[in-house]
Amino acid sequence: MTNSAITVLLVDDDDMIRECVTAYLEDEGFSVYAYATAEQALESIAAISPVVCISDMRLPGMNGEDFIVKAHTLSPVTRYMLHTGMLYSLSDELRFIGMKDDDVMLKPIHNLSKLVENIKHIAVVGRF
Amino acid sequence: MSPKAAEKFFRSESRYRMLVENSCDIVFSLDMDGNIAYVSPAWQKILGHEPSEVIGHNFVEFVNPEDIAGIQTMVAAVIRTNSMQEATYRVNHVDGSWRWHTARVNRHRDDDGVQTIFGTAHDATERLHIEELMTQSEKMAMISGMAAGMAHEINNPLGAILQHAQNIERRVSADIPANVKAAAEVGVSLDLVHAYMQKRGIFDFIGHIRTAGIKASGIISNMLQFSRRSDAGAELVDLSAFLDKVLELAGTDYDMKKKYDFHRIELQRLYADNLPPVLLVVAGMEQVLLNIIKNAAQALTGGELPHQPRITVRTQVAEGMAAIEIEDNGSGMDEKTRQRIFEPFFTTKEIGVGTGLGLSVAYEIITKGHHGLIDVRSKLGRGSCFTIKLPLQGRA
Ligand SMILES: Nc1ncnc2c1ncn2[C@@H]1O[C@H](COP(=O)(O)OP(=O)(O)OP(=O)(O)O)[C@@H](O)[C@H]1O
Ligand SMILES: [Mg+2]
């Protein structure tokens, strides 16, 4: 699958993080939609139906964990990833919808090529 | 015993004497210059000196110099107010160690007007030690919360620094079609932009931003240890083999070899042979022991130490816990330093040598990750001894 075929939805309340991750992913050819809150992302996710969705954990309002559980009901084909500053182990609910330990990425990501690698990996796995 | 009978009993001097001599507390009397006139047998039981080594000597000869002023203040208060006073101070045990004692004293004037200071004293070492450990754990709980919060706040800006540095590098690369297109629109050649940046060392600067960011992120991730509470990944381990492995690791560490002459340090291993396997989070415990050994090596490097530098690693089983002791005969530390070493960022080392995180992380890993205890004894100029106690299975 080429990168341009992979739509990525990004949720992070930090403007700088949204900006730099979006820039990198767009340079790599992905189509990126970025939102500052879980609530905004939930309004659009069904229509966009992204291949991959990356969410921050600590968000104003709904947190990343609850967001993913809800988003999964609206867009079940999407593969989900968490991008978090806290050490975090996956809840049973997130495991149940198919998330793995590798789908949790710790902030700060030193090299965004690692994120790209993970996105491509789960995008492919998601097809099976 | 009826009140009347009791009064009769206590009126007899020989019975008073019996009470004094059987008391667990030390009973003593001093003349007004502080010379010891009498001590009960408890002195010898608690502190080990023969009566002849004590009687006739001045009380302050046995007291830690730092605590003498406190005792003088107490005696002055007794004389001024004519009432019972209390003081806590360190007295010398015959084995050379200091014991914390709490004494209550008062003044007595007999019929001929001769004055005596008399009092009782008991050993408070254990109680004070427990209090210190408790204050320590409260202090650490507060600091942990702060550290975790701070680490989290810093991760986002740090991510932006690292990732934007990477974005800058990539936006001048000719490999990305959008770059080529934009360069053509403004009429510059990407190859020339690239060559210019190369010539002016700009790519190096960007590299330095990333290196610095990665270093800061290493410090932050150490701080995040503070919020890690689980004992996930614990396994039963043979402590002797584990310690051997850690010592071997220490010996191959670059800093240890080059900066601290680790090979020069004699390693003494005194392992108990009856040790049951111990539940360890291997990576965490490795980090703890390496930190402690590195500190010991550092304490054995500064200044010209005349003796043979030595690190002793001892294990034993006591009170349902496995104890690991790591002792060095290096610089040691004073009491003020000793009380602060588990605080994050507390260091006496030069900038660049120590960040002061080693022992605070060790403290978290031992107390939260292993439900254990970590503690230190030290004597300035003589050395330090770290003790780690880990619960044995089924008794945690
Ligand atoms: N074995 C020892 N002998 C003497 N002083 C020690 C010993 N171990 C620790 N200390 C004191 O405790 C302080 C804190 O130690 P800690 O390991 O937390 O930080 P550090 O060694 O200064 O820096 P870092 O471990 O982050 O490189 C040291 O700076 C030193 O003053
Ligand atoms: Mg250290």
Side-chain angles (χ1 to χ4, degrees), chain B residues 76-89:
Chain B
V78 165
I79 293 169
R80 197 177 60 245
T81 63
N82 222 351
S83 65
M84 198 264 298
Q85 301 288 328
E86 195 178 284
T88 297
Y89 51 89

Side-chain angles (χ1 to χ4, degrees), chain B residues 62-134:
Chain B
F62 297 94
V63 175
N64 188 303
E66 288 178 28
D67 302 332
I68 291 175
I71 289 190
Q72 285 164 344
T73 312
M74 167 179 72
V75 172
V78 165
I79 293 169
R80 197 177 60 245
T81 63
N82 222 351
S83 65
M84 198 264 298
Q85 301 288 328
E86 195 178 284
T88 297
Y89 51 89
R90 280 159 290 182
V91 264
N92 211 329
H93 188 273
V94 79
D95 69 10
S97 65
W98 294 107
R99 300 294 164 86
W100 285 99
H101 277 199
T102 297
R104 295 180 154 199
V105 305
N106 209 336
R107 175 172 61 164
H108 179 253
R109 191 195 298 265
D110 71 10
D111 298 341
D112 306 325
V114 177
Q115 299 190 63
T116 314
I117 299 281
F118 66 93
T120 60
H122 66 267
D123 196 296
T125 314
E126 196 55 27
R127 181 177 58 82
L128 289 172
H129 187 64
I130 290 167
E131 277 176 18
E132 185 194 314
L133 290 180
M134 279 169 59

Side-chain angles (χ1 to χ4, degrees), chain A residues 27-28 58 107 110-112, chain B residues 152-153 156 166 171 217:
Chain A
D27 282 357
E28 285 285 329
R58 238 176 34 172
K107 288 182 176 180
H110 291 184
N111 193 329
L112 284 171
Chain B
H152 188 262
E153 290 307 319
N156 271 347
Q166 209 181 350
R171 288 268 157 121
S217 137

